[in-house]
Amino acid sequence: MNSVGEACTELKREYDQCFNRWFAEKFLKGENAGDPCVQLFKRYQLCVQLLRRKTYPLKDWNSWVPVKEKLKTPPDLV
């Protein structure tokens, strides 16, 4: 499945591939000491956040964030 934004699709594919491999080869066999794909997920998540920030006006940022995670300001650009 593609990402919500074309610019992030490759990062999503890398994360999905890593997660699916970990899930099938480790987690389902009881080896769930951690998710080795965390950094890939964070890179993908940042890409989506930056894409949203670029696409939607900053004043609308909080409307895209779940209520419990509302931010006073959007994340800084890296």
Side-chain angles (χ1 to χ4, degrees):
M1 178 189 280
N2 289 339
S3 176
V4 294
E6 187 177 335
C8 303
T9 296
E10 187 57 34
L11 290 171
K12 183 179 185 307
R13 286 186 184 147
E14 288 177 26
Y15 169 71
D16 286 346
Q17 184 179 40
C18 179
F19 179 84
N20 289 335
R21 185 174 41 250
W22 167 79
F23 188 78
E25 295 175 7
K26 302 287 184 180
F27 183 81
L28 291 178
K29 295 178 181 176
E31 300 174 32
N32 53 4
D35 181 356
C37 308
V38 170
Q39 291 305 316
L40 288 173
F41 177 75
K42 287 181 179 181
R43 287 177 44 212
Y44 169 61
Q45 185 180 43
L46 179 61
C47 181
V48 171
Q49 289 171 346
L50 295 175
L51 181 66
R52 274 195 259 174
R53 183 175 181 176
K54 178 180 174 185
T55 305
Y56 300 98
L58 294 179
K59 65 183 172 110
D60 294 335
W61 176 259
N62 278 332
S63 67
W64 286 90
V65 179
V67 173
K68 68 180 182 176
E69 298 175 14
K70 291 257 186 217
L71 304 173
K72 293 181 181 177
T73 58
D76 294 330
L77 292 171
V78 173

